[in-house]
Amino acid sequence: MRYAKIRKMDISNGPGVRVSIFMQGCAFHCPNCFNPETHDFQGGSEFNEQTIQKVLSLAESDNIVGLSILGGEPMHPINIDGTCALAKAFKERYPNKSIWSWTGYLFEDLKDKEVLHHIDVLVDGLYKDELHDFRLKWRGSSNQRVIDVQASLNENKIVLFTD
Protein backbone atom coordinates (compact mmCIF):
# COMPACT_ATOMS: atom_id res chain seq x y z
CA MET A 1 0.00 0.00 0.00
CA ARG A 2 1.09 3.54 -0.74
CA TYR A 3 0.05 7.11 0.05
CA ALA A 4 0.27 10.22 -2.11
CA LYS A 5 0.69 13.01 0.46
CA ILE A 6 0.08 14.14 4.00
CA ARG A 7 -1.13 17.64 4.86
CA LYS A 8 -0.27 18.63 8.40
CA MET A 9 -2.78 21.50 8.64
CA ASP A 10 -5.74 21.11 6.29
CA ILE A 11 -8.86 23.26 6.51
CA SER A 12 -10.64 22.09 3.35
CA ASN A 13 -11.31 18.39 4.04
CA GLY A 14 -13.64 18.33 7.02
CA PRO A 15 -14.42 20.77 9.81
CA GLY A 16 -11.68 22.61 11.66
CA VAL A 17 -7.94 22.18 11.28
CA ARG A 18 -7.11 18.57 10.46
CA VAL A 19 -4.30 16.28 9.39
CA SER A 20 -5.12 14.78 6.00
CA ILE A 21 -3.65 11.77 4.27
CA PHE A 22 -4.29 10.98 0.64
CA MET A 23 -4.01 7.27 -0.07
CA GLN A 24 -2.46 6.27 -3.39
CA GLY A 25 -4.40 4.24 -5.92
CA CYS A 26 -7.92 4.35 -7.28
CA ALA A 27 -9.65 2.11 -9.80
CA PHE A 28 -12.67 4.40 -10.29
CA HIS A 29 -10.99 7.17 -12.36
CA CYS A 30 -14.01 9.47 -12.10
CA PRO A 31 -14.09 12.07 -14.91
CA ASN A 32 -12.69 15.38 -13.62
CA CYS A 33 -11.47 13.83 -10.37
CA PHE A 34 -9.85 16.52 -8.23
CA ASN A 35 -6.89 14.22 -7.48
CA PRO A 36 -6.01 12.25 -10.64
CA GLU A 37 -2.35 12.02 -9.58
CA THR A 38 -3.47 9.56 -6.89
CA HIS A 39 -4.94 7.01 -9.34
CA ASP A 40 -1.74 5.00 -9.95
CA PHE A 41 -1.32 2.30 -7.28
CA GLN A 42 2.47 2.40 -7.85
CA GLY A 43 2.82 6.15 -7.25
CA GLY A 44 3.46 8.01 -4.02
CA SER A 45 5.37 6.66 -1.04
CA GLU A 46 5.24 3.45 0.93
CA PHE A 47 2.61 3.38 3.67
CA ASN A 48 3.95 1.66 6.78
CA GLU A 49 4.12 1.91 10.58
CA GLN A 50 6.34 5.01 10.30
CA THR A 51 3.61 6.67 8.23
CA ILE A 52 1.05 5.94 10.93
CA GLN A 53 3.39 7.31 13.61
CA LYS A 54 4.00 10.47 11.53
CA VAL A 55 0.24 11.10 11.21
CA LEU A 56 -0.27 10.51 14.94
CA SER A 57 2.56 12.90 15.76
CA LEU A 58 1.19 15.61 13.46
CA ALA A 59 -2.22 15.32 15.15
CA GLU A 60 -0.83 15.83 18.65
CA SER A 61 -1.51 19.58 18.77
CA ASP A 62 -4.71 20.73 20.44
CA ASN A 63 -5.28 22.84 17.30
CA ILE A 64 -5.83 19.67 15.28
CA VAL A 65 -9.45 18.49 15.62
CA GLY A 66 -9.19 15.34 13.55
CA LEU A 67 -7.92 13.25 10.68
CA SER A 68 -9.18 13.17 7.11
CA ILE A 69 -8.48 10.09 4.96
CA LEU A 70 -8.93 10.62 1.24
CA GLY A 71 -7.47 9.40 -1.97
CA GLY A 72 -7.08 7.91 -4.34
CA GLU A 73 -9.36 5.39 -2.78
CA PRO A 74 -8.78 4.56 0.91
CA MET A 75 -11.36 1.75 0.86
CA HIS A 76 -9.99 -0.10 -2.19
CA PRO A 77 -9.10 -3.71 -1.29
CA ILE A 78 -5.40 -2.85 -1.67
CA ASN A 79 -5.72 0.10 0.75
CA ILE A 80 -8.43 -0.79 3.24
CA ASP A 81 -6.24 -2.71 5.72
CA GLY A 82 -3.79 0.19 5.98
CA THR A 83 -6.65 2.67 6.24
CA CYS A 84 -8.11 0.57 9.04
CA ALA A 85 -4.77 0.34 10.87
CA LEU A 86 -4.36 4.12 10.70
CA ALA A 87 -7.93 4.85 11.79
CA LYS A 88 -7.70 2.39 14.68
CA ALA A 89 -4.38 3.78 15.91
CA PHE A 90 -5.69 7.33 15.60
CA LYS A 91 -8.86 6.60 17.61
CA GLU A 92 -6.86 4.77 20.28
CA ARG A 93 -4.55 7.77 20.71
CA TYR A 94 -7.14 10.51 20.14
CA PRO A 95 -10.61 9.21 21.07
CA ASN A 96 -12.07 12.73 21.11
CA LYS A 97 -10.79 13.74 17.67
CA SER A 98 -12.86 12.88 14.61
CA ILE A 99 -11.98 10.84 11.56
CA TRP A 100 -13.54 11.72 8.24
CA SER A 101 -13.04 9.63 5.10
CA TRP A 102 -14.06 9.93 1.46
CA THR A 103 -14.75 6.93 -0.75
CA GLY A 104 -16.32 6.05 -4.07
CA TYR A 105 -17.79 2.93 -2.48
CA LEU A 106 -21.21 3.03 -0.87
CA PHE A 107 -21.71 2.73 2.88
CA GLU A 108 -23.91 -0.31 2.30
CA ASP A 109 -20.97 -2.13 0.68
CA LEU A 110 -18.61 -1.23 3.54
CA LYS A 111 -20.86 -1.56 6.60
CA ASP A 112 -19.41 -4.93 7.59
CA LYS A 113 -15.80 -3.74 7.32
CA GLU A 114 -13.87 -3.14 10.55
CA VAL A 115 -12.58 0.22 9.33
CA LEU A 116 -16.01 1.81 9.76
CA HIS A 117 -15.92 1.15 13.50
CA HIS A 118 -13.15 3.76 13.71
CA ILE A 119 -14.55 6.41 11.35
CA ASP A 120 -16.93 9.16 12.43
CA VAL A 121 -18.02 10.59 9.09
CA LEU A 122 -17.94 8.94 5.67
CA VAL A 123 -18.56 10.76 2.42
CA ASP A 124 -19.58 7.95 0.09
CA GLY A 125 -20.37 7.47 -3.58
CA LEU A 126 -18.54 8.10 -6.81
CA TYR A 127 -17.96 11.68 -7.86
CA LYS A 128 -20.25 12.40 -10.82
CA ASP A 129 -19.22 15.42 -12.84
CA GLU A 130 -22.75 15.95 -14.20
CA LEU A 131 -24.00 16.25 -10.60
CA HIS A 132 -21.20 18.60 -9.45
CA ASP A 133 -22.40 21.52 -7.36
CA PHE A 134 -20.06 24.09 -5.77
CA ARG A 135 -22.65 24.80 -3.08
CA LEU A 136 -22.42 21.32 -1.56
CA LYS A 137 -20.59 21.02 1.72
CA TRP A 138 -17.89 18.33 2.08
CA ARG A 139 -18.78 16.60 -1.20
CA GLY A 140 -18.37 17.25 -4.89
CA SER A 141 -21.56 15.87 -6.41
CA SER A 142 -25.14 15.63 -5.23
CA ASN A 143 -25.26 11.82 -5.33
CA GLN A 144 -22.65 11.63 -2.57
CA ARG A 145 -23.75 11.37 1.05
CA VAL A 146 -22.16 12.72 4.22
CA ILE A 147 -22.88 9.93 6.70
CA ASP A 148 -22.69 9.81 10.48
CA VAL A 149 -21.06 6.37 10.55
CA GLN A 150 -21.47 5.44 14.20
CA ALA A 151 -25.14 6.47 14.30
CA SER A 152 -25.72 4.56 11.06
CA LEU A 153 -24.10 1.42 12.45
CA ASN A 154 -26.04 1.72 15.71
CA GLU A 155 -29.39 2.30 14.01
CA ASN A 156 -28.73 -0.10 11.11
CA LYS A 157 -29.77 2.56 8.60
CA ILE A 158 -28.15 5.57 6.93
CA VAL A 159 -28.03 8.59 9.24
CA LEU A 160 -26.78 11.70 7.50
CA PHE A 161 -24.27 13.92 9.27
CA THR A 162 -25.55 17.33 10.31
CA ASP A 163 -23.29 20.08 11.56
Side-chain angles (χ1 to χ4, degrees), residues 5 13-14 18 21 47 53 67-68 79 81 84 91-92 94 100 102-104 107 114 121 126 155-156 160:
K5 61 187 163 193
N13 293 301
R18 314 176 68 75
I21 184 167
F47 180 92
Q53 293 308 313
L67 171 66
S68 294
N79 294 338
D81 289 343
C84 184
K91 275 300 187 182
E92 285 173 356
Y94 306 112
W100 282 49
W102 282 254
T103 182
F107 175 87
E114 179 190 350
V121 176
L126 292 173
E155 296 183 30
N156 201 28
L160 297 179

Side-chain angles (χ1 to χ4, degrees), residues 38-68:
T38 65
H39 290 179
D40 181 1
F41 284 93
Q42 302 306 313
S45 304
E46 182 182 353
F47 180 92
N48 53 32
E49 184 60 33
Q50 287 81 12
T51 311
I52 292 173
Q53 293 308 313
K54 178 179 181 178
V55 169
L56 295 178
S57 175
L58 289 171
E60 208 165 49
S61 168
D62 289 339
N63 295 328
I64 302 296
V65 301
L67 171 66
S68 294

Side-chain angles (χ1 to χ4, degrees), residues 112-131:
D112 296 326
K113 304 289 185 185
E114 179 190 350
V115 67
L116 289 189
H117 293 283
H118 310 293
I119 292 175
D120 299 292
V121 176
L122 183 75
V123 181
D124 81 336
L126 292 173
Y127 169 74
K128 296 192 178 194
D129 204 38
E130 65 275 13
L131 299 176

Side-chain angles (χ1 to χ4, degrees), residues 14-16 100 121 136-139 146-148 159-163:
W100 282 49
V121 176
L136 297 172
K137 196 169 185 181
W138 313 126
R139 56 197 175 125
V146 183
I147 298 170
D148 182 325
V159 177
L160 297 179
F161 174 79
T162 55
D163 56 347

